Amino acid sequence: MADLYLVRHGQTELNVQNILQGGHDSPLTARGREQALATRAAFEVCGIFFDHAYSSPLGRARYTAELIVGEDLPIELVDDLREWRLGSLEGTSNRDMPPQPWGDYPVAFGGESEVQLQSRMVAVLSRIMARPQHDCVLAVSHGSACQEFLEYVTGRGELPDNGAVLHFGYCDGAFSLLDW
């Protein structure tokens, strides 16, 4: 069985302001940088060393990945690890959104549906883990993207906190949640 460590990026300025980011980007806060460095330290203490690292190309995820792996490993940027595409809702307040699940709500604003997001995340992580010699993989993504993948694997999707690490096993094309 191979291991996938799916990490939500560290806290950003827009997270603090309760602004929907989607494809918008925002720098990590001091706390966000600390979260990434604490994740790196936890992996080192546990003796976890990655053979491959992937990240959403958005700066908040890419920088989190860089802080976790340092100079030890190149990071491949993968567009499909991006956050939920929310169209014109991006940059607006979380407080103006209806309660989740949002389902098709973002579609009316030029975004993607929840089903599209989940399908995208499952497809990209399946492609990554099916590659040869991918025994211990880091993937850094975003809150809703991680939530939808978790929903697919477990049947219940909770929004992971910034910096959260979701540990999945991958065997014969199937994922299982091992730890959170």
Side-chain angles (χ1 to χ4, degrees), residues 60-124:
R60 60 192 186 266
R62 183 182 40 76
Y63 188 48
T64 298
E66 289 170 356
L67 289 171
I68 292 171
V69 301
E71 301 290 318
D72 300 340
L73 192 64
I75 300 164
E76 184 176 330
L77 302 180
V78 179
D79 195 59
D80 281 342
L81 289 173
R82 285 178 178 263
E83 180 59 296
W84 195 338
R85 293 176 178 97
L86 298 171
S88 63
L89 294 170
E90 294 177 9
T92 64
S93 174
N94 276 320
R95 294 178 188 98
D96 297 334
M97 293 293 287
Q100 285 197 10
W102 292 337
D104 288 341
Y105 183 75
V107 173
F109 300 89
E112 66 186 332
S113 72
E114 195 167 351
V115 168
Q116 289 171 315
L117 170 61
Q118 186 177 94
S119 296
R120 174 167 55 86
M121 285 299 291
V122 170
V124 70

Side-chain angles (χ1 to χ4, degrees), residues 27-175:
L28 296 180
T29 62
R31 181 171 181 221
R33 291 186 298 277
E34 290 167 6
Q35 289 166 329
L37 292 171
T39 298
R40 177 187 175 105
F43 285 139
E44 288 173 353
V45 165
C46 292
I48 297 168
F49 300 97
F50 301 106
D51 46 46
H52 293 85
Y54 297 87
S55 174
S56 157
L58 294 173
R60 60 192 186 266
R62 183 182 40 76
Y63 188 48
T64 298
E66 289 170 356
L67 289 171
I68 292 171
V69 301
E71 301 290 318
D72 300 340
L73 192 64
I75 300 164
E76 184 176 330
L77 302 180
V78 179
D79 195 59
D80 281 342
L81 289 173
R82 285 178 178 263
E83 180 59 296
W84 195 338
R85 293 176 178 97
L86 298 171
S88 63
L89 294 170
E90 294 177 9
T92 64
S93 174
N94 276 320
R95 294 178 188 98
D96 297 334
M97 293 293 287
Q100 285 197 10
W102 292 337
D104 288 341
Y105 183 75
V107 173
F109 300 89
E112 66 186 332
S113 72
E114 195 167 351
V115 168
Q116 289 171 315
L117 170 61
Q118 186 177 94
S119 296
R120 174 167 55 86
M121 285 299 291
V122 170
V124 70
L125 292 171
S126 295
R127 281 193 311 271
I128 287 170
M129 294 308 294
R131 292 178 176 175
Q133 300 169 339
H134 277 57
D135 298 315
C136 189
V137 174
L138 172 71
V140 180
S141 190
H142 305 271
S144 294
C146 292
Q147 179 180 9
E148 286 305 312
F149 186 72
L150 182 62
E151 169 77 26
Y152 167 79
V153 174
T154 67
R156 63 183 196 344
E158 298 173 41
L159 183 64
D161 292 333
N162 288 107
V165 178
L166 305 171
H167 179 196
F168 296 95
Y170 177 80
C171 185
D172 297 328
F175 291 93

Side-chain angles (χ1 to χ4, degrees), residues 10-32:
Q11 181 189 68
T12 68
E13 297 291 340
L14 291 180
N15 289 143
V16 172
Q17 298 170 31
N18 285 311
I19 301 295
L20 290 170
Q21 293 179 93
H24 284 58
D25 220 348
S26 174
L28 296 180
T29 62
R31 181 171 181 221

